[in-house]
Amino acid sequence: MNYHEVLLKQIDEKVQQLLGAVCSNKIATFEEYKYLCGEIQGLYVARGYILDLKDQMEQYDDDN
């Protein structure tokens, strides 16, 4: 397992944990709900950056 696979796995696990919290109806306030949704969205953005970097590095390796 390489670095990006480790990061993606950690992000996916955290997203699942947060989605579980959102879906459990245990959120006390709308502000907490919005915060958790923002955290999930941020993790998805980070995940996209990691995948883009992985693709760029593979393309660079193929070109050289």
PDB file of all heavy atoms in Angstrom, residues 11 14-15 18 34-50:
ATOM      1  N   ILE A  11      -9.260   8.978   4.762  1.00  0.00           N
ATOM      2  CA  ILE A  11     -10.318   9.935   4.438  1.00  0.00           C
ATOM      3  C   ILE A  11     -11.657   9.223   4.307  1.00  0.00           C
ATOM      4  O   ILE A  11     -12.665   9.672   4.854  1.00  0.00           O
ATOM      5  CB  ILE A  11      -9.967  10.716   3.157  1.00  0.00           C
ATOM      6  CG1 ILE A  11      -8.835  11.700   3.449  1.00  0.00           C
ATOM      7  CG2 ILE A  11     -11.195  11.441   2.605  1.00  0.00           C
ATOM      8  CD1 ILE A  11      -8.283  12.394   2.225  1.00  0.00           C
ATOM      9  N   LYS A  14     -13.032   8.322   7.705  1.00  0.00           N
ATOM     10  CA  LYS A  14     -13.531   9.494   8.424  1.00  0.00           C
ATOM     11  C   LYS A  14     -14.859   9.960   7.839  1.00  0.00           C
ATOM     12  O   LYS A  14     -15.783  10.305   8.585  1.00  0.00           O
ATOM     13  CB  LYS A  14     -12.487  10.618   8.368  1.00  0.00           C
ATOM     14  CG  LYS A  14     -12.884  11.861   9.126  1.00  0.00           C
ATOM     15  CD  LYS A  14     -13.024  11.585  10.620  1.00  0.00           C
ATOM     16  CE  LYS A  14     -13.319  12.879  11.370  1.00  0.00           C
ATOM     17  NZ  LYS A  14     -13.488  12.648  12.810  1.00  0.00           N
ATOM     18  N   VAL A  15     -14.981   9.951   6.519  1.00  0.00           N
ATOM     19  CA  VAL A  15     -16.238  10.345   5.882  1.00  0.00           C
ATOM     20  C   VAL A  15     -17.354   9.409   6.326  1.00  0.00           C
ATOM     21  O   VAL A  15     -18.464   9.862   6.648  1.00  0.00           O
ATOM     22  CB  VAL A  15     -16.103  10.373   4.341  1.00  0.00           C
ATOM     23  CG1 VAL A  15     -17.464  10.441   3.674  1.00  0.00           C
ATOM     24  CG2 VAL A  15     -15.235  11.543   3.901  1.00  0.00           C
ATOM     25  N   LEU A  18     -18.406  10.311   9.816  1.00  0.00           N
ATOM     26  CA  LEU A  18     -19.201  11.540   9.847  1.00  0.00           C
ATOM     27  C   LEU A  18     -20.588  11.330   9.259  1.00  0.00           C
ATOM     28  O   LEU A  18     -21.577  11.841   9.786  1.00  0.00           O
ATOM     29  CB  LEU A  18     -18.465  12.659   9.104  1.00  0.00           C
ATOM     30  CG  LEU A  18     -17.159  13.126   9.750  1.00  0.00           C
ATOM     31  CD1 LEU A  18     -16.410  14.058   8.817  1.00  0.00           C
ATOM     32  CD2 LEU A  18     -17.428  13.790  11.084  1.00  0.00           C
ATOM     33  N   LYS A  34     -24.556  21.527   9.910  1.00  0.00           N
ATOM     34  CA  LYS A  34     -23.837  22.264   8.871  1.00  0.00           C
ATOM     35  C   LYS A  34     -22.330  22.074   9.016  1.00  0.00           C
ATOM     36  O   LYS A  34     -21.625  21.927   8.008  1.00  0.00           O
ATOM     37  CB  LYS A  34     -24.179  23.758   8.923  1.00  0.00           C
ATOM     38  CG  LYS A  34     -25.580  24.074   8.481  1.00  0.00           C
ATOM     39  CD  LYS A  34     -25.833  25.560   8.279  1.00  0.00           C
ATOM     40  CE  LYS A  34     -25.415  26.405   9.439  1.00  0.00           C
ATOM     41  NZ  LYS A  34     -25.735  27.831   9.289  1.00  0.00           N
ATOM     42  N   TYR A  35     -21.827  22.058  10.241  1.00  0.00           N
ATOM     43  CA  TYR A  35     -20.397  21.861  10.469  1.00  0.00           C
ATOM     44  C   TYR A  35     -19.960  20.493   9.948  1.00  0.00           C
ATOM     45  O   TYR A  35     -18.953  20.379   9.256  1.00  0.00           O
ATOM     46  CB  TYR A  35     -20.072  21.995  11.959  1.00  0.00           C
ATOM     47  CG  TYR A  35     -18.637  21.711  12.262  1.00  0.00           C
ATOM     48  CD1 TYR A  35     -17.669  22.693  12.089  1.00  0.00           C
ATOM     49  CD2 TYR A  35     -18.227  20.455  12.700  1.00  0.00           C
ATOM     50  CE1 TYR A  35     -16.330  22.437  12.348  1.00  0.00           C
ATOM     51  CE2 TYR A  35     -16.897  20.184  12.961  1.00  0.00           C
ATOM     52  CZ  TYR A  35     -15.952  21.176  12.788  1.00  0.00           C
ATOM     53  OH  TYR A  35     -14.635  20.914  13.039  1.00  0.00           O
ATOM     54  N   LEU A  36     -20.704  19.464  10.286  1.00  0.00           N
ATOM     55  CA  LEU A  36     -20.355  18.114   9.840  1.00  0.00           C
ATOM     56  C   LEU A  36     -20.431  17.996   8.321  1.00  0.00           C
ATOM     57  O   LEU A  36     -19.563  17.367   7.699  1.00  0.00           O
ATOM     58  CB  LEU A  36     -21.273  17.080  10.499  1.00  0.00           C
ATOM     59  CG  LEU A  36     -21.088  16.900  12.007  1.00  0.00           C
ATOM     60  CD1 LEU A  36     -22.128  15.932  12.555  1.00  0.00           C
ATOM     61  CD2 LEU A  36     -19.696  16.417  12.337  1.00  0.00           C
ATOM     62  N   CYS A  37     -21.434  18.619   7.723  1.00  0.00           N
ATOM     63  CA  CYS A  37     -21.535  18.604   6.250  1.00  0.00           C
ATOM     64  C   CYS A  37     -20.344  19.322   5.630  1.00  0.00           C
ATOM     65  O   CYS A  37     -19.792  18.870   4.619  1.00  0.00           O
ATOM     66  CB  CYS A  37     -22.838  19.242   5.800  1.00  0.00           C
ATOM     67  SG  CYS A  37     -24.290  18.221   6.153  1.00  0.00           S
ATOM     68  N   GLY A  38     -19.909  20.416   6.223  1.00  0.00           N
ATOM     69  CA  GLY A  38     -18.741  21.131   5.742  1.00  0.00           C
ATOM     70  C   GLY A  38     -17.477  20.309   5.869  1.00  0.00           C
ATOM     71  O   GLY A  38     -16.607  20.329   4.983  1.00  0.00           O
ATOM     72  N   GLU A  39     -17.365  19.573   6.967  1.00  0.00           N
ATOM     73  CA  GLU A  39     -16.201  18.712   7.159  1.00  0.00           C
ATOM     74  C   GLU A  39     -16.180  17.594   6.108  1.00  0.00           C
ATOM     75  O   GLU A  39     -15.136  17.293   5.532  1.00  0.00           O
ATOM     76  CB  GLU A  39     -16.211  18.116   8.569  1.00  0.00           C
ATOM     77  CG  GLU A  39     -14.911  17.488   8.954  1.00  0.00           C
ATOM     78  CD  GLU A  39     -14.824  17.131  10.432  1.00  0.00           C
ATOM     79  OE1 GLU A  39     -15.701  17.533  11.222  1.00  0.00           O
ATOM     80  OE2 GLU A  39     -13.876  16.421  10.781  1.00  0.00           O
ATOM     81  N   ILE A  40     -17.325  17.014   5.844  1.00  0.00           N
ATOM     82  CA  ILE A  40     -17.423  15.971   4.812  1.00  0.00           C
ATOM     83  C   ILE A  40     -17.045  16.546   3.449  1.00  0.00           C
ATOM     84  O   ILE A  40     -16.270  15.942   2.705  1.00  0.00           O
ATOM     85  CB  ILE A  40     -18.841  15.367   4.785  1.00  0.00           C
ATOM     86  CG1 ILE A  40     -19.089  14.564   6.061  1.00  0.00           C
ATOM     87  CG2 ILE A  40     -19.036  14.489   3.547  1.00  0.00           C
ATOM     88  CD1 ILE A  40     -20.544  14.182   6.284  1.00  0.00           C
ATOM     89  N   GLN A  41     -17.565  17.715   3.141  1.00  0.00           N
ATOM     90  CA  GLN A  41     -17.261  18.344   1.861  1.00  0.00           C
ATOM     91  C   GLN A  41     -15.759  18.625   1.749  1.00  0.00           C
ATOM     92  O   GLN A  41     -15.154  18.379   0.708  1.00  0.00           O
ATOM     93  CB  GLN A  41     -18.044  19.644   1.713  1.00  0.00           C
ATOM     94  CG  GLN A  41     -17.839  20.323   0.384  1.00  0.00           C
ATOM     95  CD  GLN A  41     -18.676  21.583   0.251  1.00  0.00           C
ATOM     96  OE1 GLN A  41     -19.203  22.111   1.228  1.00  0.00           O
ATOM     97  NE2 GLN A  41     -18.801  22.071  -0.955  1.00  0.00           N
ATOM     98  N   GLY A  42     -15.144  19.106   2.815  1.00  0.00           N
ATOM     99  CA  GLY A  42     -13.708  19.363   2.811  1.00  0.00           C
ATOM    100  C   GLY A  42     -12.895  18.101   2.598  1.00  0.00           C
ATOM    101  O   GLY A  42     -11.886  18.117   1.877  1.00  0.00           O
ATOM    102  N   LEU A  43     -13.324  17.001   3.198  1.00  0.00           N
ATOM    103  CA  LEU A  43     -12.623  15.737   3.008  1.00  0.00           C
ATOM    104  C   LEU A  43     -12.738  15.254   1.563  1.00  0.00           C
ATOM    105  O   LEU A  43     -11.778  14.721   1.003  1.00  0.00           O
ATOM    106  CB  LEU A  43     -13.162  14.679   3.979  1.00  0.00           C
ATOM    107  CG  LEU A  43     -12.753  14.882   5.437  1.00  0.00           C
ATOM    108  CD1 LEU A  43     -13.587  13.992   6.347  1.00  0.00           C
ATOM    109  CD2 LEU A  43     -11.267  14.616   5.625  1.00  0.00           C
ATOM    110  N   TYR A  44     -13.908  15.454   0.962  1.00  0.00           N
ATOM    111  CA  TYR A  44     -14.057  15.086  -0.450  1.00  0.00           C
ATOM    112  C   TYR A  44     -13.160  15.936  -1.350  1.00  0.00           C
ATOM    113  O   TYR A  44     -12.606  15.431  -2.330  1.00  0.00           O
ATOM    114  CB  TYR A  44     -15.514  15.192  -0.895  1.00  0.00           C
ATOM    115  CG  TYR A  44     -16.359  13.992  -0.524  1.00  0.00           C
ATOM    116  CD1 TYR A  44     -17.589  14.146   0.103  1.00  0.00           C
ATOM    117  CD2 TYR A  44     -15.943  12.693  -0.810  1.00  0.00           C
ATOM    118  CE1 TYR A  44     -18.367  13.052   0.441  1.00  0.00           C
ATOM    119  CE2 TYR A  44     -16.711  11.597  -0.477  1.00  0.00           C
ATOM    120  CZ  TYR A  44     -17.924  11.785   0.146  1.00  0.00           C
ATOM    121  OH  TYR A  44     -18.696  10.702   0.477  1.00  0.00           O
ATOM    122  N   VAL A  45     -13.011  17.211  -1.018  1.00  0.00           N
ATOM    123  CA  VAL A  45     -12.115  18.073  -1.791  1.00  0.00           C
ATOM    124  C   VAL A  45     -10.678  17.574  -1.652  1.00  0.00           C
ATOM    125  O   VAL A  45      -9.951  17.440  -2.640  1.00  0.00           O
ATOM    126  CB  VAL A  45     -12.243  19.545  -1.346  1.00  0.00           C
ATOM    127  CG1 VAL A  45     -11.132  20.402  -1.932  1.00  0.00           C
ATOM    128  CG2 VAL A  45     -13.602  20.108  -1.737  1.00  0.00           C
ATOM    129  N   ALA A  46     -10.271  17.274  -0.420  1.00  0.00           N
ATOM    130  CA  ALA A  46      -8.919  16.762  -0.189  1.00  0.00           C
ATOM    131  C   ALA A  46      -8.709  15.451  -0.927  1.00  0.00           C
ATOM    132  O   ALA A  46      -7.641  15.214  -1.511  1.00  0.00           O
ATOM    133  CB  ALA A  46      -8.675  16.573   1.308  1.00  0.00           C
ATOM    134  N   ARG A  47      -9.721  14.602  -0.930  1.00  0.00           N
ATOM    135  CA  ARG A  47      -9.635  13.324  -1.639  1.00  0.00           C
ATOM    136  C   ARG A  47      -9.412  13.552  -3.141  1.00  0.00           C
ATOM    137  O   ARG A  47      -8.611  12.870  -3.777  1.00  0.00           O
ATOM    138  CB  ARG A  47     -10.925  12.533  -1.409  1.00  0.00           C
ATOM    139  CG  ARG A  47     -10.888  11.109  -1.864  1.00  0.00           C
ATOM    140  CD  ARG A  47     -12.213  10.419  -1.527  1.00  0.00           C
ATOM    141  NE  ARG A  47     -12.084   8.990  -1.587  1.00  0.00           N
ATOM    142  CZ  ARG A  47     -11.963   8.289  -2.705  1.00  0.00           C
ATOM    143  NH1 ARG A  47     -11.940   8.888  -3.861  1.00  0.00           N
ATOM    144  NH2 ARG A  47     -11.851   6.976  -2.651  1.00  0.00           N
ATOM    145  N   GLY A  48     -10.118  14.530  -3.683  1.00  0.00           N
ATOM    146  CA  GLY A  48      -9.943  14.863  -5.090  1.00  0.00           C
ATOM    147  C   GLY A  48      -8.538  15.358  -5.393  1.00  0.00           C
ATOM    148  O   GLY A  48      -7.941  14.999  -6.415  1.00  0.00           O
ATOM    149  N   TYR A  49      -7.982  16.179  -4.503  1.00  0.00           N
ATOM    150  CA  TYR A  49      -6.613  16.666  -4.683  1.00  0.00           C
ATOM    151  C   TYR A  49      -5.614  15.510  -4.683  1.00  0.00           C
ATOM    152  O   TYR A  49      -4.678  15.483  -5.475  1.00  0.00           O
ATOM    153  CB  TYR A  49      -6.229  17.657  -3.593  1.00  0.00           C
ATOM    154  CG  TYR A  49      -6.911  18.998  -3.677  1.00  0.00           C
ATOM    155  CD1 TYR A  49      -7.133  19.747  -2.522  1.00  0.00           C
ATOM    156  CD2 TYR A  49      -7.338  19.546  -4.882  1.00  0.00           C
ATOM    157  CE1 TYR A  49      -7.743  20.980  -2.576  1.00  0.00           C
ATOM    158  CE2 TYR A  49      -7.956  20.774  -4.940  1.00  0.00           C
ATOM    159  CZ  TYR A  49      -8.152  21.499  -3.786  1.00  0.00           C
ATOM    160  OH  TYR A  49      -8.758  22.723  -3.837  1.00  0.00           O
ATOM    161  N   ILE A  50      -5.815  14.563  -3.790  1.00  0.00           N
ATOM    162  CA  ILE A  50      -4.915  13.414  -3.710  1.00  0.00           C
ATOM    163  C   ILE A  50      -4.992  12.590  -4.993  1.00  0.00           C
ATOM    164  O   ILE A  50      -3.963  12.169  -5.539  1.00  0.00           O
ATOM    165  CB  ILE A  50      -5.234  12.551  -2.468  1.00  0.00           C
ATOM    166  CG1 ILE A  50      -4.893  13.331  -1.200  1.00  0.00           C
ATOM    167  CG2 ILE A  50      -4.488  11.215  -2.513  1.00  0.00           C
ATOM    168  CD1 ILE A  50      -5.466  12.728   0.070  1.00  0.00           C
TER     169      ILE A  50
END
